[in-house]
Amino acid sequence: QVQLVASGGGWVQAGGSLRLSCAASGNIFSINAMDWYRQAPGKQRELVARITSGGSTNFADSVKGRFTISRDNAKNTVYLQMNSLKPEDTGVYGCNAEVLHINMRAATLRAQGTQVTVSS
């Protein structure tokens, strides 16, 4: 069985930092792109950052210069380093991973989100 688990959320004051992790496990052959997204109360889900298997990255304009995305392919894990956090960064953060199973079946895994709360 293949699964994706996000962790690392919490409460932090504005200006602080948090590091989120999202780890895939199971019968995985390879992982292509991995994304972090977030959803704030009353707002649509927003793609925060993406990293490809080759290490290319993209960020939402709202987090550029503050957030960094990285991955450890040996651990099938993607990280989101969030610095200079603002109250508007508050929300539930989740991740997606485009995986290839060992039986060569492609699938998109989605992890249950982790809450990030930034107080002013």
Side-chain angles (χ1 to χ4, degrees):
Q1 186 175 359
V2 178
Q3 63 176 353
L4 194 64
V5 178
S7 61
W11 177 90
V12 66
Q13 287 190 324
S17 299
L18 281 174
R19 188 191 193 209
L20 306 183
S21 300
C22 187
S25 61
N27 296 326
I28 296 171
F29 179 77
S30 65
I31 301 179
N32 191 7
M34 303 182 83
D35 305 327
W36 281 100
Y37 62 89
R38 68 186 179 190
Q39 187 156 21
K43 294 187 178 181
Q44 287 191 331
R45 192 173 79 169
E46 174 187 26
L47 179 63
V48 175
R50 161 171 277 227
I51 185 167
T52 67
S53 57
S56 297
T57 58
N58 292 97
F59 296 91
D61 288 342
S62 57
V63 306
K64 281 181 181 177
R66 300 188 296 121
F67 290 12
T68 302
I69 187 171
S70 60
R71 61 191 286 170
D72 184 334
N73 291 328
K75 296 181 178 179
N76 288 336
T77 299
V78 62
Y79 304 97
L80 186 68
Q81 178 67 43
M82 305 184 294
N83 299 326
S84 302
L85 282 162
K86 304 175 181 179
E88 51 263 43
D89 293 318
T90 295
V92 176
Y93 284 69
C95 61
N96 291 340
E98 298 172 3
V99 305
L100 196 62
H101 292 244
I102 58 173
N103 62 8
M104 297 297 114
R105 180 175 66 89
T108 298
L109 302 181
R110 290 180 173 83
Q112 190 171 2
T114 182
Q115 177 70 42
V116 171
T117 303
V118 184
S119 65
S120 57

